[in-house]
Amino acid sequence: DVKVTQSSRYLVKRTGEKVFLECVQDMDHENMFWYRQDPGLGLRLIYFSYDVKMKEKGDIPEGYSVSREKKERFSLILESASTNQTSMYLCASRPGQANEKLFFGSGTQLSVL
Amino acid sequence: AQSVSQHNHHVILSEAASLELGCNYSYGGTVNLFWYVQYPGQHLQLLLKYFSGDPLVKGIKGFEAEFIKSKFSFNLRKPSVQWSDTAEYFCAVKPNQAGTALIFGKGTTLSVSS
């Protein structure tokens, strides 16, 4: 079974801190994604990556950056955390084919105080 | 930009009632379509998907969805819901074009009373 592992289940940070959210997948998937999930807004795409060292902006990239130095790892970075970035962050991965399903991690609930 | 609309924010049904959740998307080209479900406290998981062929697709747990290209719709149905179907349901669309990602609707919360 594919495993997508997010390093933290719950995280509490202060405004202005730099925050790293880590995601690792063990199935050699080419594609990796970061979404945030908020009540009433569904899942919104922040960034995605189709290959190592490659990244594409999603719908809401402002205030975030990403890093994909190795195929299995896709990191989301909040350069200077703000309270409106309090959210559930979901990492997902998928093989190269467009019609394949996403495999999701269990999520990181980030609270920015 | 592509978008996905789910018509209902919250649906409340009694057990054995029939279910239909609406989903419309805006994209003129070929798409791959998905319904995901998130049970309370669990990961998102795939219910069913469509990418070509028969527009009526069957998924897990008795769910099915019909792709109507002329209406840009992919509605989810189940003839008789159970209490265990209580969950949040997300419709998602992936344009069949390089460099695009899966776009999700805002979700529909289904509450089934026993």
Side-chain angles (χ1 to χ4, degrees):
Chain A
D1 238 8
V2 175
K3 200 163 184 184
V4 179
T5 303
Q6 293 183 232
S7 53
S8 305
R9 185 71 180 95
Y10 298 96
L11 213 50
V12 180
K13 295 292 181 181
R14 295 200 179 277
T15 303
E17 278 193 76
K18 190 168 185 176
V19 181
F20 293 86
L21 302 183
E22 305 288 347
C23 176
V24 177
Q25 48 94 5
D26 64 359
M27 279 301 290
D28 203 37
H29 286 170
E30 289 84 358
N31 307 317
M32 296 188 75
F33 307 83
W34 275 106
Y35 291 89
R36 61 178 281 177
Q37 183 178 12
D38 301 285
L41 297 177
L43 278 76
R44 292 180 291 167
L45 181 65
I46 304 171
Y47 267 98
F48 59 105
S49 169
Y50 281 107
D51 204 349
V52 176
K53 296 192 187 295
M54 176 274 179
K55 60 185 178 185
E56 290 281 349
K57 291 181 180 179
D59 296 323
I60 51 164
E62 297 79 17
Y64 303 94
S65 62
V66 290
S67 171
R68 188 133 182 236
E69 295 296 317
K70 293 184 178 181
K71 192 174 186 180
E72 67 270 19
R73 185 181 296 269
F74 191 37
S75 304
L76 180 69
I77 303 151
L78 286 66
E79 297 290 343
S80 176
S82 63
T83 54
N84 63 12
Q85 292 178 310
T86 291
S87 186
M88 170 66 80
Y89 289 87
L90 294 172
C91 176
S93 73
R94 190 190 72 209
Q97 297 83 356
N99 57 15
E100 288 298 321
K101 68 177 184 179
L102 289 179
F103 292 85
F104 282 91
S106 54
T108 296
Q109 178 62 53
L110 173 67
S111 298
V112 183
L113 307 178
Chain B
Q2 300 89 15
S3 66
V4 180
S5 298
Q6 291 186 237
H7 309 153
N8 312 97
H9 180 59
H10 193 180
V11 172
I12 302 171
L13 294 172
S14 300
E15 273 194 315
S18 64
L19 170 72
E20 181 159 2
L21 301 182
C23 174
N24 286 89
Y25 64 93
S26 64
Y27 181 73
T30 306
V31 293
N32 298 313
L33 299 156
F34 304 80
W35 274 97
Y36 281 83
V37 60
Q38 188 172 32
Y39 298 103
Q42 295 189 25
H43 296 197
L44 275 151
Q45 55 185 284
L46 182 70
L47 262 184
L48 47 80
K49 65 179 182 179
Y50 169 84
F51 53 95
S52 66
D54 189 344
L56 184 63
V57 292
K58 295 192 184 299
I60 60 172
K61 304 187 181 185
F63 286 90
E64 64 179 33
E66 185 175 13
F67 171 48
I68 303 179
K69 191 175 180 180
S70 60
K71 295 185 178 180
F72 298 91
S73 71
F74 190 56
N75 293 354
L76 181 71
R77 299 195 292 249
K78 185 171 184 178
S80 176
V81 295
Q82 300 172 306
W83 176 81
S84 57
D85 293 324
T86 295
E88 192 158 17
Y89 292 81
F90 294 93
C91 180
V93 174
K94 166 75 176 69
N96 198 5
Q97 178 185 338
T100 59
L102 200 60
I103 303 299
F104 285 82
K106 293 184 178 181
T108 298
T109 300
L110 172 65
S111 300
V112 180
S113 58
S114 56

